[in-house]
């Protein structure tokens, strides 16, 4: 769809929020907390951004951190995007869904607060029990602090330059039924994951960078992949992804990030064992082996049968 930029606003040092509406005045698709959209930028890049506004409010809001060492997407948005610009977008998609539970603990680092904001609003509206730990390099770099501060004592804001790293011992004190969500830089996610594993809590994460690089994910023994609906039998070699081989055979499943972080290429597995290398699925979802991200994941068996 074509989206029109209706406003830009600084939310903190290095973070700008962008409000988007349809270019033709039509209604935007509905979405749930945790969803993201794919934006096609005029510089040829495509990027995924979490929706951080309120579902149903008539426009979409995203927030973009300027990353000087990135691949150019955030730089273009910060330097060149203007009110009135038209962008193409896909979505919304959601692989960070807000599940039903008796209580919640959210851990956010920096720009990782964005997918969590709509979750807090939805849970507060229905009177659910939740807490948020929100850390960042400095207070000036942390976006939406005033918004989350309105929730009072349920929120702990921890700028690293003032109080140090987030105190994750709170995870040890959660009940087994508490749902733990985390979004932020890899070191934070890894620390939260280790803490959750130590006390037997399943962690739901949203990563902005892959846990395994796309190049490393393509390495491994070759295997055979069967495309059940297409009637094709293909060979995936070391250094190739399933997506590469499938597209080379003339089958074009949906795809976007090519690094296992967006979930666009999630494909149903009909037979075979999967070597999951994505940054999306929970451990429980991986154990079922029902789906896989074919841009990075490989086979843990000689043969995979996919619903393609």
């Amino acid at each position: 769809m074509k989206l029109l930029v209706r406003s830009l606003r600084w939310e903190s040092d290095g973070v700008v929020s962008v409000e988007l509406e349809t270019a033709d005045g039509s209604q935007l698709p509905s979405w749930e907390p945790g969803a993201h959209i794919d934006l096609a930028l005029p510089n040829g890049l495509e990027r995924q951004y979490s929706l951080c506004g309120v579902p149903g409010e008539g426009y979409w809001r995203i927030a973009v951190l300027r990353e000087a060492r990135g691949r150019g997407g955030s730089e273009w948005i910060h330097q060149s995007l203007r009110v009135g610009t038209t962008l193409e977008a896909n979505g919304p998609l959601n692989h960070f869904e807000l599940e039903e539970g008796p209580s919640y603990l959210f851990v956010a680092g920096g720009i990782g607060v964005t997918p969590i904001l709509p979750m807090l609003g939805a849970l507060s509206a229905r009177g659910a029990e939740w807490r948020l730990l929100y850390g960042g390099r400095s207070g000036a770099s942390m976006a939406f602090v005033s918004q989350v501060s309105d929730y009072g004592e349920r929120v702990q804001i921890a700028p690293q330059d003032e109080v140090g790293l987030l105190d994750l011992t709170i995870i040890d004190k959660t009940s087994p039924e508490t749902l733990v969500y985390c979004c932020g830089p890899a070191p934070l996610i890894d620390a939260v994951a280790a803490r959750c594993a130590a006390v037997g809590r399943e962690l739901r994460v949203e990563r902005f960078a892959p846990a395994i690089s796309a190049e490393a994910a393509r390495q491994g023994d070759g295997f055979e992949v069967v495309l059940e609906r297409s009637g094709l039998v293909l060979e995936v070699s070391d250094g190739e992804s399933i997506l590469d081989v499938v597209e080379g055979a003339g089958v074009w499943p949906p795809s976007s990030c090519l690094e296992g972080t967006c979930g666009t290429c999630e494909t149903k597995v009909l037979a075979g064992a999967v070597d999951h290398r994505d940054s999306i699925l929970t451990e429980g979802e991986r154990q079922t082996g029902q789906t896989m991200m074919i841009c990075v994941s490989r086979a843990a068996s000689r043969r995979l049968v996919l619903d393609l």
Side-chain angles (χ1 to χ4, degrees), residues 80-276:
S80 303
L81 191 64
R82 298 290 184 269
V83 171
T85 300
T86 300
L87 299 172
E88 291 189 351
N90 290 320
L93 301 172
N94 199 340
H95 288 275
F96 194 47
E97 296 178 357
L98 182 61
E99 301 176 21
E100 289 292 333
S103 60
Y104 301 80
L105 174 64
F106 299 97
V107 184
I111 196 65
V113 75
T114 52
I116 292 172
L117 292 175
M119 297 183 181
L120 305 184
L123 292 175
S124 298
R126 64 181 189 235
E129 178 184 339
W130 61 265
R131 292 197 65 183
L132 167 66
L133 302 184
Y134 178 23
R137 294 187 309 276
S138 66
S141 71
M142 297 171 66
F144 305 110
V145 168
S146 61
Q147 181 176 335
V148 297
S149 296
D150 289 342
Y151 292 114
E153 295 181 353
R154 288 187 287 185
V155 176
Q156 178 184 336
I157 298 171
Q160 187 175 341
D161 63 344
E162 297 178 23
V163 300
L165 297 175
L166 285 172
D167 181 6
L168 300 181
T169 59
I170 188 174
I171 297 172
D172 306 351
K173 304 168 187 175
T174 60
S175 69
E177 296 80 22
T178 299
L179 303 185
V180 183
Y181 286 76
C182 181
C183 185
L188 173 64
I189 292 177
D190 293 343
V192 173
R195 203 94 197 185
C196 285
V199 295
R201 304 289 184 270
E202 185 176 25
L203 176 63
R204 294 146 181 86
V205 302
E206 173 96 311
R207 291 182 183 266
F208 295 134
I212 304 173
S213 71
E215 182 179 357
R218 289 187 175 91
Q219 309 306 311
D221 294 336
F223 56 93
E224 186 178 82
V225 61
V226 178
L227 309 188
E228 182 73 15
R229 287 189 282 116
S230 301
L232 297 175
V233 179
L234 308 172
E235 189 71 24
V236 180
S237 303
D238 179 21
E240 294 182 307
S241 71
I242 295 175
L243 182 62
D244 291 337
V245 173
V246 167
E247 289 182 341
V251 178
W252 297 89
S255 65
S256 179
C257 73
L258 307 183
E259 59 184 14
T261 57
C262 75
T264 304
C265 70
E266 186 171 11
T267 301
K268 185 176 181 180
V269 178
L270 303 178
V274 180
D275 177 2
H276 292 285

